[in-house]
Amino acid sequence: MLSWEHLKVAGFLAIFSGFTFALVSASDARLREAVNDSAGDLVREASAVRLALLGPRREPDAEEPASDHEAESASASQKLAPTDEPNEPTEQ
């Protein structure tokens, strides 16, 4: 059976060992370097896997509108835009 006293002792031991590890890792250069190197390797590897899974990022074409609404408004503005060509009468 787990009692409240057991939890207090387990909590104290966890805090004490965490504090001891923090002191040792701050004062031991070899341990600090080993932890830093492995963390850098893990971040580099995770970034490479993320890039491999996502694939190359493509920029949207400047000529293509991003949505149907933009396409409709672009075609409407082209119809309403004045032209530089003079109006010539058509021959029939």
Side-chain angles (χ1 to χ4, degrees):
M1 179 172 206
L2 191 63
S3 67
W4 184 246
E5 286 77 23
H6 288 116
L7 293 175
K8 285 182 181 180
V9 171
F12 171 76
L13 290 176
I15 291 172
F16 182 76
S17 30
F19 182 68
T20 304
F21 179 76
L23 287 176
V24 170
S25 64
S27 61
D28 188 4
R30 287 182 297 151
L31 180 62
R32 196 172 45 240
E33 185 177 318
V35 169
N36 192 19
D37 287 344
S38 65
D41 292 341
L42 285 173
V43 169
R44 215 173 286 112
E45 184 179 334
S47 298
V49 168
R50 181 178 183 272
L51 287 174
L53 291 175
L54 291 177
R57 187 172 183 183
R58 294 184 295 166
E59 296 295 325
D61 293 336
E63 297 173 5
E64 293 183 21
S67 68
D68 291 336
H69 178 67
E70 290 178 15
E72 291 171 2
S73 62
S75 64
S77 65
Q78 287 175 355
K79 290 177 186 174
L80 297 176
T83 59
D84 293 336
E85 300 173 4
N87 290 337
E88 296 182 16
T90 56
E91 294 180 23
Q92 290 186 359

